[in-house]
Amino acid sequence: MAEDETGEVPKLPPDARLESLDERLERLQQAEAKRTEVPQVSPGTRIAQQAFGHLIGAPVGGAVIGWGIDSLAAMAGYKTFPLFLLLMLFFGFGVGLRNVVRITNTRSEPGN
């Protein structure tokens, strides 16, 4: 743009059409931001969901693995049912508790 003697760009008179367009664009951007906003989960809720998942998932996973070991032992001719199922169930419960303690003792960093 052309500069005047002071080195500043001369200001043009405001155009009502451009101002109206800017206002409409700003309103539409705000509406779109509100529409696409992702709800933030509170840190307490996130920790509770993780703890619940570990307390349910670890024993179930251990029981499934124990059942699989018992099934493999049965195919090999050993009668171990429910030995490994119970052992792995309790092992899974212990792992779940350890994970819950680890999660609840971890200090969350701001912004995470």
Side-chain angles (χ1 to χ4, degrees):
M1 279 187 118
E3 297 180 359
D4 60 6
E5 296 84 31
T6 61
E8 294 181 5
V9 177
K11 293 187 179 185
L12 298 174
D15 187 1
R17 293 179 300 168
L18 286 178
E19 289 177 2
S20 172
L21 183 62
D22 284 340
E23 290 172 7
R24 288 189 304 173
L25 182 60
E26 181 65 30
R27 280 196 314 262
L28 288 173
Q29 286 174 339
Q30 288 175 356
E32 181 67 16
K34 190 182 295 184
R35 187 181 69 80
T36 60
E37 181 180 6
V38 177
Q40 297 294 324
V41 178
S42 71
T45 303
R46 182 183 54 84
I47 289 173
Q49 289 173 345
Q50 284 182 337
F52 184 71
H54 284 290
L55 286 176
I56 298 298
V60 169
V64 168
I65 290 171
W67 176 76
I69 293 171
D70 281 334
S71 297
L72 290 174
M75 289 192 307
Y78 299 104
K79 297 183 190 261
T80 61
F81 190 75
L83 176 68
F84 287 109
L85 174 79
L86 293 174
L87 285 175
M88 294 302 288
L89 177 73
F90 289 122
F91 181 71
F93 185 69
V95 168
L97 284 177
R98 181 187 61 109
N99 286 341
V100 168
V101 168
R102 183 180 50 88
I103 288 169
T104 56
N105 285 337
T106 303
R107 299 196 194 285
S108 66
E109 298 173 11
N112 283 343

